[in-house]
Amino acid sequence: MASDSSFDVVSKVDRQEADNALNQARKEVEQRYDFKGTGASIEWSGESILIKANSDERAKAVLDVFQSKLIKRGISLKSLESEDPQPSGKEFRLVSTLKEGISSEDAKKISKLIRDEGPKSVKAQIQGDELRVQSKSRDDLQEVQRMLKAADLDVDLQFINYR
């Protein structure tokens, strides 16, 4: 009798790659001519990313530099959540966070998508902030992975523990 094959659907960000992207963005902001004398900076503030500049356009420009560095490092922009720049004294502050884990609503959406459009032998089970997908057929599991990659979801998904 064949045992079930499975994989986990997760949403994680490689913290080291995000740190490297932030350091590259900081160096570029310090060296670029259009940011000279504007007080533009980007840094970690606990678990979030704090961007400061003397105008909201400059803060958005620093965010744009950071986003381009994230893309080059292979981190999806779906995992970056940014607010609008807020005035704080003479400067504007923009706070961004890196989302990790699949929220319960997104997990329900994904499991419903698998139930409705995926092969009938596939079962999806929510386990905390990740999803376990099981089936007797590995081909069905690969079909589910292709379907989830093609789906327009608000979450950056990775597939791990394929067995």
Side-chain angles (χ1 to χ4, degrees):
M1 184 172 140
S3 65
D4 279 3
S5 298
S6 69
F7 66 88
D8 293 336
V9 181
V10 296
S11 178
K12 296 199 184 312
V13 175
D14 184 351
R15 183 69 179 200
Q16 185 61 51
E17 290 295 330
D19 195 40
N20 291 342
L22 186 122
N23 288 332
Q24 287 179 337
R26 183 170 5 99
K27 285 179 184 172
E28 183 172 324
V29 166
E30 288 170 357
Q31 293 175 351
R32 271 185 34 185
Y33 177 76
D34 56 335
F35 288 122
K36 293 278 189 231
T38 63
S41 68
I42 181 170
E43 62 194 26
W44 286 108
S45 174
E47 288 295 306
S48 58
I49 296 138
L50 178 64
I51 297 173
K52 299 178 193 171
N54 64 357
S55 71
D56 66 339
E57 287 85 22
R58 292 263 189 244
K60 288 178 183 174
V62 173
L63 178 65
D64 192 43
V65 169
F66 180 56
Q67 288 175 338
S68 71
K69 299 301 179 190
L70 284 175
I71 291 170
K72 286 182 182 172
R73 290 246 163 227
I75 297 175
S76 172
L77 293 182
K78 290 180 181 179
S79 57
L80 182 71
E81 208 168 64
S82 298
E83 302 172 353
D84 286 331
Q86 302 294 325
S88 171
K90 292 184 177 182
E91 66 185 10
F92 283 80
R93 291 174 177 234
L94 189 147
V95 178
S96 298
T97 54
L98 293 170
K99 294 189 294 185
E100 288 203 6
I102 301 173
S103 69
S104 59
E105 301 117 33
D106 288 331
K108 288 175 186 172
K109 275 187 215 169
I110 293 168
S111 64
K112 182 173 176 2
L113 183 71
I114 292 171
R115 265 195 323 271
D116 295 348
E117 298 180 23
K120 295 299 171 206
S121 67
V122 176
K123 296 180 205 73
Q125 180 180 12
I126 299 171
Q127 297 179 332
D129 62 350
E130 53 186 53
L131 210 69
R132 163 92 22 106
V133 180
Q134 294 178 315
S135 176
K136 294 213 180 296
S137 165
R138 287 181 171 244
D139 292 339
D140 289 349
L141 291 178
Q142 289 174 342
E143 179 63 33
V144 168
Q145 285 183 354
R146 278 193 291 279
M147 180 185 67
L148 290 177
K149 284 179 185 174
D152 186 29
L153 299 168
D154 296 336
V155 186
D156 178 34
L157 299 177
Q158 294 90 31
F159 307 108
I160 61 170
N161 297 340
Y162 189 77
R163 28 178 173 259

